[in-house]
Amino acid sequence: MRVYLRARGQDRVGGEFIFLGRAPERQWWREHRHYFEAESPTVLVVSDGATWRVMLAGVPTALRDVSDRAPTYTVVLDGAAGDPDAALALRLVDAFLAELGEVADSPRAGAVIDAQLPPEVIERLRAWTLRDGRQDEAVGEVADRVCQALATLPAPATAGSAPAPASWVSLITDATARAAALHRAATLFAGTAGIVAYLNLPTQAAVVRPLTATAGGAAVLLQSEAALPSGLVDLDPPPAPERPTGPKALAGAAPARRPTVLEITTAAALVALAVMILLMIF
Amino acid sequence: MTQPLFAELLRLLRGGVPYRSPFTPRATTTARGDDLPFKVSMLGPTSVGKTSLISALLREAESALIGTKVILEPYDVETEQRIVTHRRKIEGALYAGEFDPEAVKPNVEEVIFRLRLATGSDEVGIRFDLLDYPGGWLDPHRRGVENQESWEECLRFMAQSSVLIVPIDAVLIMEAQLTKQKQSLPFLLAPGEVRDIALRWASERAERPDEPALLVFAPTKCESYFADNGGLHDESEKLYNQTTRLYGQVRTAVMATAPHTKIYYVPVDTLGCVQLISAKWRPNAMFEGTLECLPHFAIRPPAMLRPKAVDSILFLLCRQLTEARSRTADVVAKVSADRAAEAAALADRSEGLFRDLFLRLIGEKALRERSRDWLAGEARREMAYLDRLTEVVDKLAEQPHNDRVRQW
């Protein structure tokens, strides 16, 4: 499993968000940017069946920068299907979803990272990355520290989930939906294609419907203010049977007829007559 | 085979006049159909108030534009959701009774707000996109290689922008008293980087003298330096002098490159209900020898948002874009009127008894009359649209500028 962490420094100026050590080769989450604000909590777990990727944005931290602003972490993980370290990724997703769902006494994903990466360590890793040319060392240290942090999170209950539609949407505060999302995430880590997401901008199911085009379907959680009924809302209900209506159906029912010889001759005679009249006029 | 021949014959009959059937799709040259968005960019380093200013502009648009016949609204659902989220955060922070810096989180990535100015019953309006980005990207040493590509896109967007807004942290300018603090200002406000990008923008504007070019210098966090919005002291002249001194080079370079640029100085209160309590300076850990400023604000009772001069930026922006669209509409209206006149001349032309009879028989006369009526209607619509825009431009021009605003 590869680990990437984006963090802000303590300085007001010069403390901009950067990935410590190295950034992912491709910022793949950008293709979903219209669904979330990168500054606010977001969860994306994506799998094509062979590899999986996780992006958690807006992970709150207890740290404050010198302006007393609360920076957030962005955690990016990726690996191959069946990677044993995926269990750590699942712990992180479980903890963050519980935190976003305001589950009482849930472990805080940001807090365990804070514990492993105190401000002075972040400053040192930032300096290694930006100034000192020690990116490779920073990459190794970030991976070690983040994995240690994730190992302190409790393992999620792996009990099966109730049957769910291929693509569904629900509220983050719905415990059943969170369990279903986590179950789906576990299958993605194991090698099933699909997407699991918590998106902070949409407030209606229709907005996220394009995600159903993702191979393997989409399990989407939205913020508690979203206008959704309780439970899992099927994003991809079976289409109603089409009734043949309109010009297309008529055209299909009656294939075009080829003109007869008589019709062609008559048309040619009429054209010849028209040409003669025109010649007379001009 | 017969179709081109017949078309050629009709063209001869019409005397070579360009002809547009009422049943063909609308031409793409109508002012209303021309839906490419204008671009508006913020230009400034980190923590100067870019996002706060955007948030204030979007928040204040509804009330500020009452009576102007213009409505500023999100163009897509994503932008609408972003605006709602921003508004909730700020209002929530103020409702809690104290200014929570967490309400304005530093940007992680670039964001484009897609907006439109709706003018009356027009179905399209005037679209414009507004760019925000992490200000630290201005400095290549702090940008991070992963953000290079995004930054280049931002640079392209800024160069193509019709309007450039330069937010400037007034607290930094006003609270830098000691030599070392003043020496840190170029590091904190990056006027050199601002000048380079503004110059690139001006070069693009110079190549498009017919397009709008508006540059707004907007000192932010001015609540404590004006006495017109609950502040105790009026230090507005000092702020103006210091700002123009620091950014004079930017102005000079832009005017030398694109003399048609309109430049304004608009100091704003984005919140209006905060008071600077203290401004401490500390060494910057990453850049030796430089200081950074840590301002501390308190909320002025009754903790209600009372922005100031934000509406002036809105008026300038709306007027600039509406005027630009109005110029396009004027050209389109003239073209439409000419085409309508040509169609009318063709439809009403007498071509002799036999030819008229023949044209009537084959339906060409009726087609010409329909074309005349349709093009006349189109010309009327374009003219009405132009009139509406002119009215809006006039209304916006009537809006009194805030006393803080100066043309620079």
Side-chain angles (χ1 to χ4, degrees), chain A:
Chain A
M1 178 173 76
R2 288 185 297 184
V3 178
Y4 307 91
L5 182 71
R6 180 159 60 183
R8 204 178 147 82
Q10 284 288 292
D11 290 328
R12 183 171 183 263
V13 176
E16 285 73 19
F17 285 100
I18 57 159
F19 279 98
L20 303 177
R22 197 162 291 126
E25 284 124 30
R26 192 170 69 85
Q27 300 195 15
W28 51 269
W29 55 90
R30 282 176 169 270
E31 65 191 84
H32 301 299
R33 271 295 303 277
H34 48 291
Y35 293 125
F36 66 90
E37 274 196 329
E39 294 77 21
S40 300
T42 311
V43 176
L44 285 173
V45 183
V46 183
S47 169
D48 58 10
T51 57
W52 51 263
R53 300 174 303 235
V54 175
M55 196 278 305
L56 270 62
V59 180
T61 161
L63 299 177
R64 292 289 182 271
D65 70 8
V66 291
S67 299
D68 204 27
R69 296 193 297 187
T72 54
Y73 295 119
T74 303
V75 185
V76 179
L77 310 169
D78 60 39
D83 186 330
D85 285 342
L88 293 177
L90 193 63
R91 289 182 186 205
L92 177 63
V93 173
D94 175 44
F96 200 34
L97 289 181
E99 183 178 343
L100 297 173
E102 297 175 1
V103 176
D105 301 327
S106 62
R108 298 284 187 245
V112 296
I113 298 173
D114 284 348
Q116 284 296 326
L117 286 122
E120 61 275 13
V121 172
I122 290 182
E123 290 304 321
R124 176 168 54 77
L125 293 171
R126 288 177 60 84
W128 283 7
T129 308
L130 286 173
R131 199 179 57 196
D132 304 338
R134 298 173 69 179
Q135 288 89 343
D136 290 340
E137 290 169 74
V139 168
E141 185 167 341
V142 166
D144 289 346
R145 286 179 179 270
V146 171
C147 285
Q148 283 171 31
L150 302 190
T152 63
L153 291 168
T158 51
S161 154
S167 291
W168 55 264
V169 62
S170 189
L171 295 174
I172 184 70
T173 44
D174 187 319
T176 314
R178 283 199 312 275
L182 196 68
H183 183 258
R184 179 74 67 93
T187 64
L188 301 191
F189 290 129
T192 308
I195 182 169
V196 171
Y198 166 72
L199 305 168
N200 59 49
L201 281 179
T203 52
Q204 290 178 350
V207 177
V208 295
R209 188 153 287 131
L211 284 172
T212 58
T214 311
V220 183
L221 296 164
L222 302 182
Q223 54 185 305
S224 53
E225 291 96 348
L228 288 176
S230 60
L232 308 188
V233 178
D234 193 347
L235 273 174
D236 204 9
E242 281 187 27
R243 289 168 54 192
T245 52
K248 269 189 185 172
L250 289 175
R257 183 175 64 82
R258 296 179 69 177
T260 63
V261 175
L262 182 64
E263 283 168 343
I264 293 170
T265 314
T266 311
L270 284 171
V271 169
L273 189 63
V275 169
M276 283 174 62
I277 292 170
L278 286 171
L279 289 174
M280 284 168 63
I281 291 172
F282 295 100

Side-chain angles (χ1 to χ4, degrees), chain B residues 161-179:
Chain B
S161 292
S162 308
V163 179
L164 206 55
I165 301 172
V166 182
I168 300 162
D169 189 337
V171 174
L172 294 179
I173 288 186
M174 296 297 281
E175 302 303 320
Q177 309 287 346
L178 306 176
T179 306

Side-chain angles (χ1 to χ4, degrees), chain B residues 85 118 163 170 199 210 220 245 251 319 363 387-388:
Chain B
T85 307
V163 179
L199 202 53
D210 295 334
T220 56
R245 191 173 153 213
R251 181 194 174 276
R319 196 174 152 196
D387 288 344
R388 277 207 308 277

Side-chain angles (χ1 to χ4, degrees), chain B residues 204-259:
Chain B
E204 284 275 337
R205 293 299 95 196
E207 286 179 17
R208 296 175 174 80
D210 295 334
E211 290 185 17
L214 174 66
L215 176 60
V216 178
F217 290 93
T220 56
K221 310 172 196 173
C222 294
E223 283 86 350
S224 304
Y225 309 115
F226 283 82
D228 59 356
N229 196 26
L232 302 174
H233 308 287
D234 182 3
E235 296 183 79
S236 54
E237 275 309 306
K238 184 181 171 193
L239 176 63
Y240 177 73
N241 292 334
Q242 305 271 48
T243 307
T244 50
R245 191 173 153 213
L246 197 60
Y247 287 86
Q249 278 191 339
V250 183
R251 181 194 174 276
T252 308
V254 166
M255 286 310 278
T257 310

Side-chain angles (χ1 to χ4, degrees), chain B residues 120-380:
Chain B
S121 59
D122 175 28
E123 71 279 9
V124 176
I126 303 170
R127 279 193 53 200
F128 70 98
D129 292 348
L130 179 56
L131 172 70
D132 190 18
Y133 53 86
W137 288 4
L138 248 69
D139 183 345
H141 302 297
R142 295 182 248 153
R143 192 177 303 143
V145 283
E146 70 268 23
N147 297 316
Q148 186 59 32
E149 202 178 315
S150 302
W151 173 240
E152 280 163 17
E153 277 175 32
C154 289
L155 279 177
R156 272 193 293 278
F157 188 105
M158 281 190 268
Q160 293 166 357
S161 292
S162 308
V163 179
L164 206 55
I165 301 172
V166 182
I168 300 162
D169 189 337
V171 174
L172 294 179
I173 288 186
M174 296 297 281
E175 302 303 320
Q177 309 287 346
L178 306 176
T179 306
K180 201 162 183 191
Q181 293 166 353
K182 287 180 182 169
Q183 282 171 345
S184 296
L185 286 184
F187 164 72
L188 297 171
L189 291 170
E193 285 87 343
V194 168
R195 194 198 66 150
D196 291 347
I197 295 170
L199 202 53
R200 188 169 158 171
W201 170 78
S203 303
E204 284 275 337
R205 293 299 95 196
E207 286 179 17
R208 296 175 174 80
D210 295 334
E211 290 185 17
L214 174 66
L215 176 60
V216 178
F217 290 93
T220 56
K221 310 172 196 173
C222 294
E223 283 86 350
S224 304
Y225 309 115
F226 283 82
D228 59 356
N229 196 26
L232 302 174
H233 308 287
D234 182 3
E235 296 183 79
S236 54
E237 275 309 306
K238 184 181 171 193
L239 176 63
Y240 177 73
N241 292 334
Q242 305 271 48
T243 307
T244 50
R245 191 173 153 213
L246 197 60
Y247 287 86
Q249 278 191 339
V250 183
R251 181 194 174 276
T252 308
V254 166
M255 286 310 278
T257 310
H260 69 295
T261 305
K262 289 180 183 167
I263 302 183
Y264 285 88
Y265 166 85
V266 188
V268 297
D269 300 351
T270 51
L271 297 174
C273 57
V274 292
Q275 179 71 39
L276 182 71
I277 301 296
S278 66
K280 290 179 186 159
W281 292 78
R282 74 186 275 275
N284 184 280
M286 188 70 85
F287 298 88
E288 277 178 29
T290 56
L291 299 177
E292 62 179 24
C293 180
L294 308 179
H296 179 62
F297 293 93
I299 300 274
R300 285 183 196 143
M304 299 280 283
L305 285 172
R306 248 184 14 187
K308 191 84 173 174
V310 172
D311 53 354
S312 293
I313 296 184
L314 268 173
F315 294 148
L316 286 170
L317 176 68
C318 295
R319 196 174 152 196
Q320 192 76 1
L321 300 185
T322 321
E323 273 179 0
R325 180 50 58 86
S326 183
R327 283 200 291 274
T328 316
D330 188 35
V331 172
V332 172
K334 281 184 180 132
V335 170
S336 287
D338 289 349
R339 278 168 38 185
E342 282 176 7
L346 179 66
D348 299 340
R349 187 169 75 191
S350 171
E351 303 190 20
L353 183 62
F354 286 109
R355 268 176 78 130
D356 281 349
L357 186 61
F358 171 71
L359 292 174
R360 182 71 68 190
L361 275 173
I362 64 168
E364 170 63 12
K365 203 76 176 165
L367 204 58
R368 288 180 183 183
E369 284 164 2
R370 282 215 299 275
S371 176
R372 174 196 62 196
D373 296 343
W374 188 83
L375 285 171
E378 182 77 346
R380 277 196 301 276

